Every structure is written in structure tokens, then in C-alpha cells.
Amino acid sequence: MAVSLRERQLTFGASSLLGLRRGAGHVPNVSQNAAVPTTAPIALSQLAGAVNYVPLSINGPSLVSLGTIPVSRPPSSASHAAGTSTSGGSGSITATWQRISGSSIPVCSNTAAVNPTFSCVGNLGNTGGGGTETLTAVWRLTVGDGHSSAFKDITISVSRDLP
């Protein structure tokens, strides 16, 4: 496939062929652009099939533990940031968190943030018998940028000591 310099400049916004190096600011350093060199010299043919948009993806753990809340000092609390971030996409990123299963504890502090804090405040109750009980909930993070979207399910857990 023949590639013109003008076409590549329009696609990637670079003013020169040198600006079309992979990772130099105009051509993303992603696997789809592996044929594009990161240093000069560069040939137009190496830009065939290169992409200027990388779909959104979500980075972070699949399990977040808030720790253990001791029953001996109620009310007590536990909290932890989700540890999530996004990569790819362009423009403004929107985020939503929704509990899809499990306990209503823990609670998400900001369901419109990519990396909110999950917390549990107060006495989780007393079922007796000693030991530790763990409550879990699966929360879904959905992100979008108007071009693509991605989601990730993350299990949030909190434990409580039982008297």
C-alpha cells in the first residue's frame, strides 16, 4: 500500500517525517506500530498500517483488601484506594463504578473517579464465635472517552474480627 507523507502528516499531526518516529509524540509506542522506527532514518513505507489511537484500557489490581476492622473498638474504619488507572484513549475520560454483586459493605467514595477510595466505617455487627469474617463485593469500573470504552471487575474485601 502506498503511503504519502501528506496523508501521514494529516493522520498523526506531525510537521515532518522525523516527527513520525514511534514514541516521538505523534505515533504512539504501541504494538500496532512496531514497524515504525523510534530513531532516524524513517521511510514512509514503515508507516503503513500505523495507528494514531490506542483504545482505552484499565490498569490495576483485581482484588483490593481494606484490611481488618477490630470489633473491640467500634466504631472503627478501614479504607483503601482502588489502585486503578487508565491508559490509551484520548480526550476526557469518564468513569463509573457500580456494585454488581456481594455485600453492600464496602462503600465507594466517588463513583465518578477512576481511582476512588473504598471504605467501611462503623461496627460491622457481631455474630459471635470468634475468628474473622470477610465481606466481599464485586464492583465494576467502566471508563470511556467517546471513542472506546473498557470495563474491569474488581473484588473489594474487608474483614472483621469476631468476638
Side-chain angles (χ1 to χ4, degrees):
M1 168 201 304
V3 179
S4 75
L5 178 57
R6 180 71 180 139
E7 175 193 5
R8 295 293 90 183
Q9 287 174 322
L10 290 173
T11 300
F12 293 100
S15 59
S16 71
L17 189 58
L18 193 57
L20 293 171
R21 294 168 294 145
R22 180 171 38 97
H26 295 285
V27 179
N29 191 6
V30 295
S31 61
Q32 298 93 321
N33 296 338
V36 180
T38 58
T39 59
I42 182 171
L44 279 176
S45 61
Q46 293 170 309
L47 293 162
V51 298
N52 68 340
Y53 176 80
V54 179
L56 272 170
S57 64
I58 300 171
N59 311 304
S62 295
L63 173 66
V64 174
S65 175
L66 303 182
T68 301
I69 297 178
V71 171
S72 60
R73 335 179 256 131
S76 55
S77 64
S79 64
H80 195 284
T84 49
S85 63
T86 61
S87 58
S90 66
S92 180
I93 307 286
T94 60
T96 21
W97 285 88
Q98 177 183 13
R99 187 177 63 81
I100 59 173
S101 68
S103 173
S104 60
I105 300 168
V107 176
C108 181
S109 66
N110 181 355
T111 58
V114 170
N115 187 26
T117 297
F118 284 86
S119 61
C120 179
V121 178
N123 187 353
L124 294 177
N126 180 352
T127 60
T132 302
E133 177 181 49
T134 301
L135 301 171
T136 61
V138 177
W139 286 75
R140 176 169 288 167
L141 168 60
T142 304
V143 295
D145 68 352
H147 301 285
S148 69
S149 62
F151 75 89
K152 181 174 186 166
D153 293 344
I154 300 173
T155 301
I156 310 293
S157 71
V158 63
S159 298
R160 64 178 176 164
D161 290 335
L162 300 174

